Amino acid sequence: MATRVLQDYPSVSIQDQTLEGIVDFEVLFGRSGPVEIEIGSGRGTFLVAQAQAFDQTCFLGIEWARKFYRYTVDRIGRRGLNNVRLIRTDAAQFIAAHVPDGGVDGFHLYFPDPWPKKYHHRRRFFSSENLARMLCCLKPAGWINMATDHQGYFEQMQHVAGQAVEAGQVQIIPFRRPAGAQDGEIVGTNYERKYLKEGRPSYTLTLQKQ
Ligand SMILES: C[S@@+](CC[C@H](N)C(=O)[O-])C[C@H]1O[C@@H](n2cnc3c(N)ncnc32)[C@H](O)[C@@H]1O
């Protein structure tokens, strides 16, 4: 099979080192509109389908693996989806340093790396610390839509979310099924498709800022 030659599209890819301080999303996207961030966008399957379905929404994908990042920039650029931007960086650092408080309508976190070994659990993205930061970034009634195949990680998500529910910071709402989800799918990402073939179930959790 021929290897696809990946192209960079400077209008899509944001260079982390050029960012200073808090990002102005209207400048970043060259337009105004709702802003949604996907953390760990992988091969970009969610972003492609969702950006096509919601062309008035601005989507920012954050992906730290160079291979997946380049692949997704190429996919978005080829399709001319001008409501998507991609950045290759660590999502936790990015939202802590560059995302404005109250600037985001929603976060998407699909099949995040589970870090199954106990001494690696602190590397999991969905932690109390990152939830607190995401809640600051969200607009009133903003949401966080999540799915995982990993039961242990799901239990951690429920535990962390439960504390925020008790503190009156969030409420649990129904999962927002993405536009690209096909029959039998919940999300419609590459990892979900891989896990479905292996017969692994997925768990979802969606939180809304109170
Ligand atoms: C298991 S894959 C899931 C990809 C995609 N969401 C899907 O469902 O097909 C997790 C992705 O998150 C990326 N990732 C993990 N931690 C990250 C972080 N802190 N910042 C940015 N990307 C991260 C990984 O490189 C990987 O591509």
Side-chain angles (χ1 to χ4, degrees):
M1 196 169 72
T3 310
R4 184 198 281 188
V5 177
L6 301 180
Q7 284 188 44
D8 185 25
Y9 289 84
S11 59
V12 175
S13 57
I14 300 165
Q15 302 309 312
D16 186 25
Q17 53 291 5
T18 65
L19 293 179
E20 278 181 24
I22 301 298
V23 166
D24 182 334
F25 285 128
E26 285 199 25
V27 173
L28 193 77
F29 286 93
R31 61 198 281 184
S32 59
V35 174
E36 298 182 17
I37 294 180
E38 186 187 16
I39 290 162
S41 43
R43 291 181 176 267
T45 300
F46 161 78
L47 283 174
V48 167
Q50 201 77 355
Q52 282 171 335
F54 297 94
D55 61 1
Q56 298 305 305
T57 299
C58 302
F59 292 93
L60 174 62
I62 309 176
E63 172 54 61
W64 71 12
R66 181 177 152 79
K67 189 172 111 181
F68 293 150
Y69 169 77
R70 290 190 60 225
Y71 186 85
T72 304
V73 167
D74 179 80
R75 283 183 88 181
I76 300 291
R78 278 170 191 261
R79 288 167 176 78
L81 292 170
N82 57 18
N83 57 333
V84 185
R85 300 288 181 275
L86 255 292
I87 186 159
R88 181 177 168 238
T89 191
D90 171 51
Q93 281 180 12
F94 181 81
I95 64 170
H98 298 297
V99 176
D101 288 355
V104 177
D105 293 78
F107 285 98
H108 303 267
L109 181 63
Y110 303 131
F111 303 95
D113 290 338
W115 297 106
K117 294 196 172 107
K118 191 157 192 217
Y119 58 92
H120 284 152
H121 285 183
R122 63 194 162 78
R123 297 186 187 177
R124 288 176 174 170
F125 181 81
F126 193 75
S127 61
S128 300
E129 191 185 352
N130 285 337
L131 173 59
R133 181 62 206 136
M134 283 193 280
L135 290 176
C136 285
C137 297
L138 284 172
K139 295 177 185 172
W143 42 265
I144 304 168
N145 210 37
M146 299 183 281
T148 179
D149 65 298
H150 192 275
Q151 193 178 356
Y153 198 169
F154 183 58
E155 284 163 9
Q156 175 175 325
M157 287 174 168
Q158 288 179 306
H159 177 71
V160 169
Q163 290 175 329
V165 170
E166 272 180 31
Q169 297 171 320
V170 297
Q171 64 172 336
I172 295 172
I173 60 169
F175 184 73
R176 302 166 67 96
R177 189 166 181 261
Q182 295 170 5
D183 283 352
E185 297 177 347
I186 296 170
V187 192
T189 65
N190 292 61
Y191 270 82
E192 183 188 24
R193 287 171 186 162
K194 179 176 135 164
Y195 296 146
L196 273 172
K197 279 189 197 147
E198 295 170 7
R200 282 155 65 168
S202 294
Y203 310 91
T204 62
L205 182 62
T206 302
L207 308 177
Q208 185 169 49
K209 181 174 173 173
Q210 290 284 79

